[in-house]
Amino acid sequence: MFFKPAKLITLAFLLFAGNAHADQISNEPDSAYLFSYNSNGLTYAWSLDKQNWTPIGKGHIFLKSDYGRWGSQKKMNSPYLIQGRNGEWVCTWNLNDETPQFAITRSADLINWGPQFYPYVTLGKNVLQPVVQYDQASDQYVITYTDADGKYFQTKTKDFKQFSKAVTSSAAAQNSTSSINLGKPTPGQYHRVAWPVIANLQKAYEQVQYHNKQNSESTKDDAQRFAGLKQVDAKITLQPAGAKPISDMLMGIFFEDINYAADGGLYAELVQNRGFEYRLSDRQYRDKNWNNSFGWSLKGEQATFTIDSVAAVHPNNPHYAVIDVQKPGAVLSNTGFDGIALKKGETYNFSAFMKQLAGTTAEVEIRLVNDKLGILAKLKVKNSKDWKQIKGSLKPSADATDARLEIRPLAAGKYAMDMVSLFPQKTFKGRNNGLRADLAQTIADIHPRFVRFPGGCLAHGDGIDNIYKWKNSIGPLESRKPDRNLWGYHQTMGLGYFEYFQFCEDIGAAPVPVIAAGVPCQNSGTGGGGQQGGIPMEEMDQYIQDIIDLVEYANGDVHTTWGKKRAAAGHPQPFNLKYIGIGNEDQITEVFRERFVMIYKALRKAHPEITIIGTAGPFFEGTDYVEGWSIASELNIPVMDEHYYQSPGWFINNQDFYDKYDRTKSKVYLGEYAASLPGGNKTNLETALAEALYLTSLERNGDVVSMSSYAPLIAKEGHTQWNPDLIYFNNTDVKPTTGYYVQQLYGRNSGDQYIPAQLSLSNEQENVGKRIAYSIVKESKSNELIVKLINLLPVSVNTTLDFGPIKPIGTTIKTELSGQPSERTVRPITSQINLQGNDLLQLPAYSFTVLRFKI
Ligand code: AHR
């Protein structure tokens, strides 16, 4: 007997034990008192008699301050809540004791809050206790604040965008802050509200609790959750008549220079700090060793090693090393990124700009050395009077994992050097200034349809000055402009836009560059007083021109200004750029909106052929998500980028997320997502299967979800700022996670048509149904059908596949990933089977199966 699986998500408002239940009161009153107070966030309590108070949701925070960097810097002080124009709720608060800004936002229901505004004021030492009042006569909000000197000031607004110049005020506003007893005297404001307001707040809290419970669903509780569950029978009946076209761009990758993904990672350069441009500011002055000489050391007597910047090789690369040798023997060495890994017999290309500053031009010995094995290779180069690029090659006589590069002047003198580089000749596809072959190949093996780059947060940067500028990343290496990497290290820009485009072409993927929307990261620590800020309006025209120039650089004729530069770099053919992302999970403020709209309109006008991807904030819900999507609808943005990092339970319980999306609106690019285990931020088979399960829902919704990419992609062991990642690596090994194989199985088995099917199960429990997922797609060019089946249950699922009129031809390739959910090194196993149609297939407990056959 088969049942259809119960509907996935039926939101029953569960009743939680604890406080008196506002939605359970019989003979409901018409109204009640609401008290708003602070708990580093806006919190409410309710009362019928103004004496006995019940905190709603045990002090649940309904509004948090978004100002400042991560965590503890985001403070809400002295929130002040009123009901203003047409009953809308308005809240002000002070941000800290220094900033001449306050916060203001509004809400229709006290639950969902609009964007937060942080207006600057021009009077007062700081802003303390901003009190908002609504002046009905002038239909304005009046904000009165005090400062450290106890003086009072006022500013006014009608629309929350324009605030009048602050003026002094003779006295404090009529401040209605009172106090109630919640175990201790608690200051705040009283409000008289209709009873449903209280009931809705309680419901909103319960809804959050309900979702938290769902999100915590984990296989570690499966023995209890599925106690007594026997094998489940499933029947999947294909309904080819309902086939629909889906995106053939669904599976892509997102490469961000995070976790040493570029320098020390994919970019094959073996010398660290080759340009002597590391700066204390790269690490926000927290590491005094992180300076121009990082990675380098001088050994030997009667010699000095200094950094100079007079008459540099290029102004964009102003520092260089000077070694002053009184007596030959001193050696300047570089230990690379955690040592230099070498392979016996392979060729390594050395190059450097050198100049003899004093003494006659002499020879310099370049060698590869290992403590245990001694000198593995050496060559001699001749120095010259002026800056000259010197090149040579080295072939190590043995393998080594921790070699170093040594530079040894053979005569006394003063030697300047810059851009000291060592590159394996065998880069990915043999490219000059290329990529580490094994790592690039592992990425290519996913078969991504596109590559999003260079970030992430890296693209919009930490503060306006740190916004990634593509023009700084092209041209001869010595002319590229290195920058601080906001993930706490340095970007040489060696892996720049040319190399990104080249890599995309080499792996047959479409390039998807992401350009900041004229605003840096919402958590910027530099500039903007710990807040977003935006490129000054007078600089926006040039900023927009730079974006338009990017299209010319990628696609323009070789006679155009920027097309000529691409050709000069060795690629006269266009790179066929079709997509540009504007913005990265930004805070959707007025500052953002203004700049985004300017960029969007100008780019659309100049290049209507480019598909622009907008941004819907860092979460799958909330103010930025709502505001981002509202801009999308207003401008009819072709594609919107969404991000969410969640628990396996979230992915299991939200498989219908896109089923509900409006097909007439923008398409979706799920640009960043990953399932990770709470606490450890680790991945295992459970997280991989949760992703595989969720990806079936992306294929099912492939008519609205057009692209997706897991994040982050790669991470160097020992230099990881973000976990989990898809692929870990060190200098010699590449270590894909189990989630990598899920991406690969989807990447290699995607289709362009979705074939719906009906699933019937022998067990009608909702929690059983949502652990089984399937997706059937057809790849038109090969005329092959691909069936993906996920079983996240602790028992096997006996599956009958009824293909109806579709007939499998020849053998079927079956690939299976299965094991214990906590296993971290599960790998796919491929076999060949004979599938007829109406076959029985056993899906092992905790497994992902892919079937592929001709039809
Ligand atoms: O993927 C890591 C980071 O996560 C990205 O840089 C950013 O966009 C997101 O917050």
Side-chain angles (χ1 to χ4, degrees):
M1 162 104 183
F2 290 100
F3 301 96
K4 284 192 190 156
K7 207 168 165 247
L8 277 183
I9 291 159
T10 45
L11 191 62
F13 293 117
L14 304 178
L15 299 176
F16 286 81
N19 306 315
H21 294 301
D23 54 350
Q24 277 187 307
I25 288 190
S26 50
N27 302 324
E28 284 179 357
D30 290 339
S31 63
Y33 292 101
L34 181 78
F35 191 76
S36 52
Y37 62 101
N38 189 19
S39 181
N40 199 20
L42 191 66
T43 315
Y44 312 119
W46 68 275
S47 169
L48 290 178
D49 56 10
K50 239 181 166 182
Q51 298 298 319
N52 298 299
W53 290 93
T54 306
I56 298 179
K58 300 175 191 163
H60 176 76
I61 293 176
F62 284 84
L63 169 65
K64 282 187 178 161
S65 180
D66 218 352
Y67 182 92
R69 301 208 78 192
W70 308 100
S72 61
Q73 283 183 30
K74 291 191 185 288
K75 286 189 190 122
M76 180 182 272
N77 299 319
S78 322
Y80 196 90
L81 179 73
I82 60 157
Q83 213 164 358
R85 183 188 293 137
N86 302 327
E88 75 176 347
W89 294 94
V90 178
C91 189
T92 52
W93 63 94
N94 98 271
L95 301 161
N96 52 45
D97 291 348
E98 307 94 45
T99 315
Q101 281 170 284
F102 64 93
I104 186 162
T105 183
R106 51 188 167 168
S107 165
D109 56 9
L110 293 168
I111 301 162
N112 300 296
W113 288 87
Q116 299 180 8
F117 300 85
Y118 312 112
Y120 277 91
V121 296
T122 44
L123 280 185
K125 282 196 164 161
N126 53 0
V127 180
L128 303 175
Q129 293 180 323
V131 169
V132 58
Q133 287 174 317
Y134 178 57
D135 176 33
Q136 202 156 15
S138 62
D139 186 28
Q140 303 190 87
Y141 289 97
V142 181
I143 299 100
T144 308
Y145 61 94
T146 182
D147 75 350
D149 289 340
K151 293 183 182 149
Y152 292 98
F153 308 93
Q154 264 188 8
T155 175
K156 295 178 183 173
T157 186
K158 261 187 200 274
D159 58 5
F160 296 82
K161 291 177 190 161
Q162 306 294 325
F163 288 79
S164 68
K165 218 164 170 279
V167 293
T168 48
S169 165
S170 50
Q174 187 61 42
N175 184 335
S176 66
T177 289
S178 318
S179 182
I180 61 168
N181 189 351
L182 289 174
K184 59 176 186 204
T186 307
Q189 292 85 46
Y190 291 111
H191 316 272
R192 184 86 187 162
V193 295
W195 181 251
V197 173
I198 309 275
N200 284 339
L201 288 170
Q202 180 70 14
K203 272 188 185 159
Y205 162 70
E206 287 168 359
Q207 198 170 348
V208 170
Q209 296 298 103
Y210 173 71
H211 286 308
N212 288 347
K213 197 159 183 266
Q214 278 195 324
N215 296 350
S216 68
E217 176 172 343
S218 154
T219 57
K220 73 176 166 24
D221 307 319
D222 278 1
Q224 197 188 343
R225 179 178 288 110
F226 296 113
L229 180 69
K230 298 279 174 321
Q231 175 180 291
V232 175
D233 295 331
K235 181 164 185 188
I236 298 177
T237 310
L238 271 67
Q239 298 173 325
K244 64 174 176 183
I246 57 168
S247 166
D248 58 0
M249 293 284 290
L250 193 57
M251 298 306 295
I253 56 166
F254 163 43
F255 179 92
E256 171 165 26
D257 185 5
I258 181 174
N259 307 317
Y260 277 53
D263 293 301
L266 186 61
Y267 183 51
E269 173 64 81
L270 294 168
V271 173
Q272 179 160 203
N273 191 15
R274 68 179 175 196
F276 304 94
E277 299 299 338
Y278 277 27
R279 303 159 223 192
L280 290 167
S281 57
D282 289 345
R283 292 193 155 181
Q284 300 189 312
Y285 305 92
R286 285 194 200 113
D287 179 353
K288 66 175 177 7
N289 296 318
W290 191 273
N291 54 34
N292 300 85
S293 53
F294 188 89
W296 294 93
S297 61
L298 182 76
K299 254 199 215 142
E301 284 165 16
Q302 297 183 43
T304 58
F305 163 40
T306 51
I307 301 290
D308 209 341
S309 59
V310 178
V313 175
H314 193 281
N316 285 347
N317 176 32
H319 299 97
Y320 55 88
V322 175
I323 40 177
D324 193 350
V325 180
Q326 306 299 317
K327 192 176 101 192
V331 162
L332 182 69
S333 61
N334 184 284
T335 45
F337 297 88
D338 305 332
I340 295 177
L342 299 171
K343 284 212 177 96
K344 180 182 169 181
E346 294 204 346
T347 302
Y348 294 84
N349 295 328
F350 169 83
S351 68
F353 281 86
M354 288 190 150
K355 175 175 167 179
Q356 190 86 28
L357 295 174
T360 48
T361 52
E363 285 193 317
V364 177
E365 191 172 76
I366 310 298
R367 47 198 210 186
L368 297 173
V369 181
N370 173 267
D371 275 344
K372 279 195 207 122
L373 304 166
I375 297 174
L376 302 171
K378 61 182 179 182
L379 74 103
K380 273 185 200 161
V381 294
K382 180 100 168 106
N383 209 355
S384 55
K385 272 282 164 218
D386 291 313
W387 283 118
K388 186 175 169 205
Q389 194 177 30
I390 286 159
K391 293 183 180 176
S393 63
L394 295 146
K395 243 185 214 180
S397 54
D399 284 356
T401 53
D402 56 351
R404 60 182 179 272
L405 174 78
E406 288 192 349
I407 300 171
R408 185 167 172 262
L410 296 178
K414 206 170 173 186
Y415 300 77
M417 58 199 73
D418 201 358
M419 299 304 288
V420 183
S421 166
L422 183 73
F423 249 86
Q425 198 171 64
K426 276 195 188 160
T427 55
F428 184 62
K429 306 270 180 199
R431 297 290 178 201
N432 209 8
N433 190 43
L435 308 181
R436 191 176 136 176
D438 55 351
L439 203 42
Q441 190 58 54
T442 308
I443 296 171
D445 287 345
I446 295 175
H447 284 208
R449 302 299 181 280
F450 65 88
V451 182
R452 176 180 181 240
F453 62 88
C457 291
L458 187 93
H460 60 183
D462 177 20
I464 294 169
D465 291 344
N466 191 233
I467 289 178
Y468 190 103
K469 292 173 199 72
W470 74 269
K471 286 183 178 174
N472 291 344
S473 79
I474 59 160
L477 295 178
E478 65 278 11
S479 72
R480 298 187 185 182
K481 209 170 179 181
D483 202 355
R484 169 166 91 87
N485 182 317
L486 86 173
W487 294 108
Y489 55 105
H490 181 86
Q491 311 178 64
T492 62
M493 301 289 176
L495 171 50
Y497 260 63
F498 181 84
E499 291 75 23
Y500 281 122
F501 281 134
Q502 179 90 80
F503 180 50
C504 292
E505 189 174 90
D506 282 346
I507 64 173
V512 183
V514 179
I515 309 281
V519 297
C521 178
Q522 64 270 32
N523 299 300
S524 289
T526 52
Q531 199 45 44
Q532 189 183 49
I535 290 180
M537 275 302 156
E538 60 274 19
E539 291 170 26
M540 278 303 289
D541 283 351
Q542 181 55 52
Y543 187 74
I544 291 170
Q545 188 57 48
D546 287 350
I547 303 175
I548 291 170
D549 290 345
L550 174 62
V551 183
E552 188 174 287
Y553 180 73
N555 295 349
D557 184 89
V558 293
H559 302 296
T560 60
T561 311
W562 292 96
K564 198 183 278 174
K565 292 186 196 288
R566 183 194 69 241
H571 202 286
Q573 294 307 315
F575 278 122
N576 204 12
L577 175 66
K578 289 186 178 148
Y579 300 86
I580 293 187
I582 301 294
N584 170 65
E585 61 173 52
D586 297 290
Q587 198 170 35
I588 314 292
T589 57
E590 267 311 299
V591 179
F592 168 89
R593 176 187 278 270
E594 212 179 351
R595 286 158 184 77
F596 179 88
V597 172
M598 282 173 81
I599 299 169
Y600 180 81
K601 289 190 171 161
L603 182 57
R604 224 184 150 97
K605 189 162 171 223
H607 288 288
E609 75 283 8
I610 296 287
T611 300
I612 301 178
I613 303 174
T615 176
F619 305 114
F620 63 91
E621 61 181 2
T623 308
D624 298 323
Y625 175 85
V626 171
E627 295 296 314
W629 272 100
S630 122
I631 299 180
S633 304
E634 206 178 287
L635 299 179
N636 208 4
I637 299 174
V639 185
M640 288 298 287
D641 178 21
E642 297 186 347
H643 296 177
Y644 37 86
Y645 297 90
Q646 293 293 329
S647 60
W650 187 92
F651 288 100
I652 291 168
N653 285 291
N654 284 279
Q655 293 171 59
D656 62 346
F657 192 74
Y658 293 112
D659 294 342
K660 300 169 285 195
Y661 267 48
D662 185 340
R663 266 53 187 170
T664 63
K665 295 205 164 162
S666 315
K667 303 265 187 247
V668 175
Y669 167 28
L670 176 52
E672 295 183 25
Y673 72 95
S676 65
L677 299 169
N681 275 335
K682 294 227 168 83
T683 56
N684 56 15
L685 181 63
E686 173 177 358
T687 56
L689 290 180
E691 285 151 12
L693 184 96
Y694 195 71
L695 279 165
T696 62
S697 81
L698 298 197
E699 287 195 332
R700 180 171 71 246
N701 287 289
D703 53 334
V704 67
V705 182
S706 53
M707 302 158 89
S708 72
S709 49
Y710 180 101
L713 182 65
I714 64 174
K716 185 163 198 173
E717 288 175 341
H719 297 280
T720 300
Q721 295 88 42
W722 186 289
N723 273 304
D725 302 281
L726 200 64
I727 303 164
Y728 290 86
F729 65 93
N730 55 33
N731 283 345
T732 49
D733 298 316
V734 178
K735 305 174 180 179
T737 59
T738 302
Y740 166 85
Y741 293 101
V742 167
Q743 296 293 317
Q744 195 188 64
L745 282 168
Y746 270 89
R748 290 179 171 195
N749 294 293
S750 22
D752 51 359
Q753 272 192 56
Y754 182 80
I755 319 283
Q758 200 187 345
L759 169 69
S760 309
L761 295 175
S762 61
N763 184 310
E764 65 173 347
Q765 277 171 247
E766 187 181 348
N767 61 1
V768 168
K770 69 190 176 190
R771 294 283 191 100
I772 300 169
Y774 63 89
S775 166
I776 299 146
V777 296
K778 185 179 152 192
E779 187 188 61
S780 301
K781 70 171 189 288
S782 60
N783 208 27
E784 290 184 352
L785 204 71
I786 300 142
V787 181
K788 303 190 183 79
L789 302 158
I790 289 94
N791 174 17
L792 241 168
L793 289 167
V795 298
S796 56
V797 175
N798 247 0
T799 308
T800 311
L801 288 164
D802 180 352
F803 292 115
I806 297 176
K807 294 278 166 275
I809 300 173
T811 48
T812 294
I813 310 289
K814 175 180 157 191
T815 312
E816 198 175 270
L817 258 182
S818 73
Q820 283 307 307
S822 59
E823 279 181 68
R824 305 196 61 205
T825 51
V826 180
R827 300 285 175 267
I829 294 172
T830 299
S831 58
Q832 295 201 348
I833 59 168
N834 231 333
L835 209 64
Q836 299 301 319
N838 257 326
D839 287 293
L840 198 67
L841 197 76
Q842 202 187 52
L843 309 180
Y846 302 118
S847 65
F848 172 31
T849 307
V850 181
L851 306 173
R852 185 175 183 129
F853 50 84
K854 276 225 176 303
I855 52 171

